[in-house]
Amino acid sequence: MKSLASYKHIESAVIHGGIYGDYATGAVNTPIYQTSTYEQDGLGKPRSKWEYSRTGNPTRAALEALIAELEGGTHGFAFSSGMAAIDAVLHLFRAGDTVIISSNVYGGTFRILDKIYKQFGLNYKIVDTCDLETLKNAISPDVKALLLESPANPLLTVTDIAAAARLAKENGILTIVDNTFMTPYLQRPLELGADIVVHSATKYLGGHSDLIAGLVAVKDEILAQRLHFIQNAVGAVAGPFDSFLLIRSIKTLAVRMEAHVANAEKIAKALQNNPAVKKVYYPGLPDAQGAEIQKKQAKNGGAMISFELLDNYDIKKFFEGLRLIALAESLGGVESLVCHPASMTHASIPEEIRRQVGITDTLVRLSVGIENADDLLDDLLSAIDGAKK
Ligand SMILES: *Cc1c(COP(=O)(O)O)cnc(C)c1O
């Protein structure tokens, strides 16, 4: 079996990290332990540490150890969806508490706070976390956590994670970072001072648009114990087969992210130079909001791009004109996907809030896949041409 000291780099960790292989047989892959329960030898005599698969399952445990290692944490938790992961983290709080969320978070994160948790007395505040002064002023005594996305969805705005986490620590509150858009290959929030990292593993970690899952990583023993209790008590765990698929997918995370980002950098530049494009939002462009902070806290700008066309272009026609890039929600798969945040991913956010945070009706969000960049550009540019009014 490999020893932890046998590699230093994340390109090796994605392949060998966590609980690698199967000691009993020497299999290089973790088996799919498709079982709900485990036989005991007698009363009070468990044969192994496993007792019931909601509480723990060896395939899931291998994935949980892997995400913990990749994020630089000590404990990982796998859930049946990204929202289930966020839901588990929100169970750390109680009625009367307030959670601050970044002003353009994932629509589902807003929805669970606004429509579910508010009913139970857990409140939220939408704050432009990119502005540290605004953030500082928003931390009232009832605030118990910051829930940040950086870059945030869909305008790719960048929050200084280290500075926000410092501010949180000074005030005795938790910093939670949704790292879905970056993955631990590009950004590791726990190392920047965050307490909890959450993922929709449905996106880049899964990488092939074929599963729904969520992951959490922490570096604190008490938080880990509380989250394990919640995971077992609430029960939205990842199944053994999805856990296996995720372990398999994460093995190629490094090479996939390199290919995603190379394409995205090329496409962001081409869109910026296109006269039909009003604005490009991509934190890898030197003149983007937060570009300097992005450089400091992440490997590069990632592979999500948003943009707006000039008013004399018909957005509906643009979407209909695409032949290679599919119109679909979600992101992070090997195939490029395009979406219309105002009517799709962010439709659950009321129009006036959408307007306030800059999610216009002409905004397009592009998840750049790993196809040939010129094929992608040809498709985008011909759809833009065809959309001219
Ligand atoms: C998709 C997404 C989620 C929700 O994850 P699911 O796996 O769809 O439940 C949360 N945060 C971000 C940033 C996402 O993109």
Side-chain angles (χ1 to χ4, degrees), residues 81-83 86 106 149 153 178 180-181 200 202-203 212-213 331:
S81 71
M83 285 319 304
I86 290 169
Y106 178 70
E149 268 180 45
N153 187 1
D178 183 334
T180 302
F181 275 31
S200 169
T202 310
K203 317 296 167 53
I212 301 277
L331 60 111

Side-chain angles (χ1 to χ4, degrees), residues 38-329:
Y38 309 82
E39 190 177 4
Q40 309 193 9
D41 289 328
L43 279 184
K45 285 195 215 156
R47 193 177 303 164
S48 69
K49 66 172 179 175
W50 311 106
E51 53 191 37
Y52 187 63
S53 280
R54 172 160 35 73
T55 317
N57 172 283
T59 317
R60 195 177 90 218
L63 170 64
E64 293 175 330
L66 178 59
I67 192 64
E69 184 174 331
L70 297 180
E71 286 288 5
T74 51
H75 297 270
F77 303 92
F79 296 90
S80 56
S81 71
M83 285 319 304
I86 290 169
D87 177 59
V89 169
L90 291 175
H91 272 86
L92 291 167
F93 307 102
R94 57 179 68 199
D97 290 351
T98 296
V99 175
I100 286 179
I101 54 174
S102 300
S103 54
N104 39 86
V105 287
Y106 178 70
T109 304
F110 169 79
R111 181 175 53 199
I112 196 172
L113 283 162
D114 188 58
K115 293 287 192 293
I116 310 276
Y117 277 96
K118 211 164 78 180
Q119 295 184 86
F120 296 99
L122 176 62
N123 302 310
Y124 69 89
K125 261 193 224 179
I126 300 174
V127 173
D128 177 7
T129 54
C130 306
D131 181 348
L132 288 168
E133 210 43 47
T134 305
L135 178 58
K136 195 173 177 178
N137 294 333
I139 302 178
S140 43
D142 54 316
V143 170
K144 293 296 183 295
L146 312 179
L147 173 41
L148 311 172
E149 268 180 45
S150 183
N153 187 1
L155 292 169
L156 290 321
T157 45
V158 175
T159 292
D160 187 329
I161 297 172
R166 246 190 331 267
L167 201 55
K169 206 141 282 169
E170 282 164 21
N171 288 276
I173 65 177
L174 292 175
T175 302
I176 305 156
V177 177
D178 183 334
N179 204 28
T180 302
F181 275 31
M182 289 279 97
T183 82
Y185 182 68
L186 301 182
Q187 175 172 280
R188 281 183 290 286
L190 296 181
E191 291 172 1
L192 297 167
D195 301 288
I196 303 175
V197 171
V198 298
H199 279 281
S200 169
T202 310
K203 317 296 167 53
Y204 291 105
L205 296 175
H208 299 73
S209 306
D210 55 6
L211 61 84
I212 301 277
L215 293 170
V216 172
V218 298
K219 57 185 179 185
D220 173 80
E221 188 60 38
I222 307 275
L223 265 182
Q225 281 172 16
R226 292 180 66 199
L227 281 166
H228 182 254
F229 183 86
I230 292 165
Q231 183 190 37
N232 184 48
V234 180
V237 295
F241 187 65
D242 281 346
S243 297
F244 165 82
L245 280 177
L246 261 174
I247 294 168
R248 180 189 154 113
S249 294
I250 290 171
K251 288 182 197 293
T252 57
L253 180 68
V255 288
R256 281 188 287 109
M257 291 315 290
E258 287 293 334
H260 278 294
V261 172
N263 278 356
E265 286 175 348
K266 194 164 175 181
I267 289 168
K269 272 185 210 133
L271 287 173
Q272 200 174 38
N273 291 330
N274 189 303
V277 177
K278 190 178 352 180
K279 186 159 172 60
V280 178
Y281 302 87
Y282 178 62
L285 288 170
D287 56 350
Q289 178 278 338
E292 282 306 310
I293 295 163
Q294 182 69 12
K295 228 184 220 164
K296 193 178 69 176
Q297 69 190 15
K299 190 167 184 182
N300 51 49
M304 294 299 298
I305 299 171
S306 291
F307 61 93
E308 283 171 294
L309 296 176
L310 289 175
D311 294 339
N312 55 332
Y313 286 79
D314 182 333
I315 199 77
K316 233 174 129 197
K317 263 204 177 138
F318 164 76
F319 284 113
E320 286 163 8
L322 291 166
R323 286 164 49 234
L324 173 62
I325 304 172
L327 174 63
E329 297 205 3

Side-chain angles (χ1 to χ4, degrees), residues 1-62:
M1 298 293 276
K2 57 101 197 193
S3 77
L4 271 177
S6 60
Y7 55 81
K8 295 193 188 74
H9 299 100
I10 193 164
E11 290 84 352
S12 308
V14 292
I15 296 164
H16 296 280
I19 301 163
Y20 172 76
D22 180 45
Y23 193 77
T25 62
V28 297
N29 289 303
T30 303
I32 304 167
Y33 285 93
Q34 194 72 43
T35 189
S36 60
T37 192
Y38 309 82
E39 190 177 4
Q40 309 193 9
D41 289 328
L43 279 184
K45 285 195 215 156
R47 193 177 303 164
S48 69
K49 66 172 179 175
W50 311 106
E51 53 191 37
Y52 187 63
S53 280
R54 172 160 35 73
T55 317
N57 172 283
T59 317
R60 195 177 90 218

